Amino acid sequence: MSASKDTLCSAQSTLITINNVQANTIYKLVKSFNNLALDSISVGGVAPASVTITIPYSSLTNGNKDTIHFMARRPGCATALSANKIYVWSSDLMKPLISVLPGTADCSRKILQIGAMQAGVAYQWYEDANFLVGNTLDKDTAYYAGAYRVVATDGLRCESSSNVLNINYNAQKPAIEMTNLSIVETKLTASKNADVYHWYVETKSGIKLIEADTAKSMSVYFDGKYYLGTVNNSCFFMSDAFEVSNKLGGNILNQGFTETDTTIIIPKVDFSVDAKIYPNPVSNDDVKIDYIGGNVTKVTFILYNSQGLVMGIKEVEGDGILRTTINTKYLPSGIYNLYIDDGVKQVRRNLMVY
């Protein structure tokens, strides 16, 4: 006697084969500990080489090893119990149930939990079809929108998949509205009210928090990708990137502003003061710069190239009009950014060298 499978998971079955059968005999499979009948088959006047009987998972003792014999009975003869026996294990693995941990349903990082966990069973979390490496505990943090589930595996290598939790954060993302005031200034505004506002910008080293911008609206003077973070009911949400372009200030990536690992300081640019650059555009000639900034007596001029590298620094002291010159003879062709810092305001102008 043999079995096609000696380990059964839920909804599976095994085929028990009995060899050397005799004609006119009824063969019955039984569990030996109580001779509980499982199923039987009757062989007629012509005996085949063997017969098979299907044993479903539901007929076995979940989580145990069943010993199976067969009994043979012929008309007019006593029933005989075979000495031949086989062992079949059946799994008692339960389907895991997962849910959102109470108190985290409104935040952008929902905590998911498994209900009852079985001893000796391994659990693995998945997001959509992705195997989440190392996520094998009773709880998992859903950082991203997706379909989350758990697969349980027992010592018999049977598997059971949990219910699916569809996590969606998109509806909670803040949205940004734009008002293009001029070629100099664009106003970005949160489309909905929030408890707290944080504005961010993408730099060469990552997305950075813009210091001091915590209002519902923010004025933007430079091209770039901006983000809005809001806090509602102690939960933080981040918008998708919002791109601003065609500003007179140029691209934020080329400005060389002061950054830390997490923040950036963007000076408030004042385009209202009188700063003249001439000739502009220029080729192989001196450029004159006149700055009229009120009662200032000292000004720093800083010239950056399009990659944000400093090409020159000059400090000028005086009263009234503060004037300097830049020799462009050795400057490669391109667009340059000239910053004028008078200690109170910072002014930016473009210089084109051809």
Side-chain angles (χ1 to χ4, degrees):
M1 185 169 62
S2 62
S4 61
K5 292 181 179 179
D6 60 7
T7 299
L8 290 190
C9 302
S10 176
Q12 292 183 338
S13 60
T14 185
L15 294 177
I16 306 298
T17 301
I18 304 173
N19 299 308
N20 302 318
V21 297
Q22 297 180 351
N24 301 314
T25 302
I26 297 174
Y27 293 89
K28 181 183 295 184
L29 293 180
V30 295
K31 294 182 191 178
S32 62
F33 74 93
N34 58 3
N35 285 343
L36 179 66
L38 296 174
D39 205 349
S40 62
I41 189 170
S42 178
V43 178
V46 179
S50 62
V51 293
T52 58
I53 300 176
T54 300
I55 302 300
Y57 169 85
S58 58
S59 297
L60 301 177
T61 308
N62 292 355
N64 287 290
K65 179 177 72 172
D66 285 316
T67 304
I68 299 177
H69 293 266
F70 72 85
M71 302 176 69
R73 183 172 62 84
R74 301 181 70 187
C77 299
T79 300
L81 180 66
S82 71
N84 192 2
K85 58 186 176 183
I86 59 174
Y87 302 103
V88 178
W89 286 87
S90 60
S91 170
D92 64 347
L93 181 63
M94 295 186 300
K95 178 178 179 176
L97 179 66
I98 62 174
S99 60
V100 177
L101 186 68
T104 66
D106 294 330
C107 289
S108 59
R109 294 183 179 180
K110 298 181 182 178
I111 309 298
L112 311 183
Q113 63 179 356
I114 304 174
M117 298 180 69
Q118 293 176 266
V121 174
Y123 295 89
Q124 176 60 56
W125 288 89
Y126 288 79
E127 180 216 337
D128 295 328
N130 301 318
F131 177 90
L132 297 178
V133 178
N135 295 38
T136 58
L137 301 179
D138 62 327
K139 293 182 178 63
D140 181 60
T141 301
Y143 291 98
Y144 307 100
Y148 288 80
R149 64 187 177 94
V150 164
V151 173
T153 306
D154 65 11
L156 300 178
R157 297 185 179 179
C158 293
E159 292 186 350
S160 180
S161 184
S162 73
N163 57 306
V164 175
L165 288 180
N166 290 301
I167 304 300
N168 184 3
Y169 295 131
N170 293 331
Q172 303 178 65
K173 286 184 178 181
I176 300 174
E177 297 175 349
M178 180 182 75
T179 304
N180 199 16
L181 301 177
S182 68
I183 193 173
V184 172
E185 182 182 2
T186 290
K187 179 174 285 189
L188 302 183
T189 304
S191 62
K192 294 181 178 180
N193 292 331
D195 297 335
V196 179
Y197 305 93
H198 296 292
W199 291 94
Y200 299 79
V201 66
E202 187 172 313
T203 72
K204 291 180 179 179
S205 56
I207 298 175
K208 302 295 180 70
L209 172 69
I210 303 173
E211 291 191 8
D213 278 307
T214 57
K216 184 178 181 180
S217 295
M218 176 183 69
S219 291
V220 171
Y221 301 95
F222 303 97
D223 298 346
K225 293 181 179 179
Y226 293 84
Y227 300 80
L228 171 63
T230 59
V231 178
N232 278 308
N233 298 321
S234 301
C235 297
F236 178 81
F237 306 102
M238 177 75 89
S239 74
D240 293 324
F242 191 96
E243 190 159 3
V244 174
S245 59
N246 300 319
K247 292 291 100 183
L248 184 62
N251 198 295
I252 193 76
L253 299 177
N254 302 326
Q255 306 307 316
F257 292 143
T258 301
E259 296 184 41
T260 68
D261 290 341
T262 58
T263 64
I264 183 172
I265 299 175
I266 301 179
K268 299 303 180 183
V269 179
D270 188 349
F271 287 87
S272 63
V273 298
D274 191 3
K276 298 179 180 179
I277 303 176
Y278 56 96
N280 187 18
V282 64
S283 177
N284 196 28
D285 197 359
D286 286 344
V287 172
K288 296 179 176 61
I289 305 168
D290 293 344
Y291 179 78
I292 305 174
N295 297 322
V296 299
T297 59
K298 182 179 179 179
V299 172
T300 302
F301 299 89
I302 308 174
L303 186 68
Y304 293 90
N305 66 9
S306 59
Q307 283 74 47
L309 298 177
V310 176
M311 306 301 293
I313 300 176
K314 283 189 176 183
E315 288 188 351
V316 177
E317 296 183 5
D319 296 318
I321 299 177
L322 288 86
R323 180 172 295 161
T324 189
T325 59
I326 297 176
N327 189 340
T328 65
K329 181 177 180 180
Y330 300 104
L331 292 179
S333 298
I335 302 295
Y336 292 81
N337 297 316
L338 176 66
Y339 285 89
I340 308 170
D341 189 349
D342 65 10
V344 178
K345 299 180 294 295
Q346 187 179 65
V347 179
R348 180 200 175 280
R349 295 291 185 267
N350 286 337
L351 171 64
M352 179 181 292
V353 178
Y354 65 93

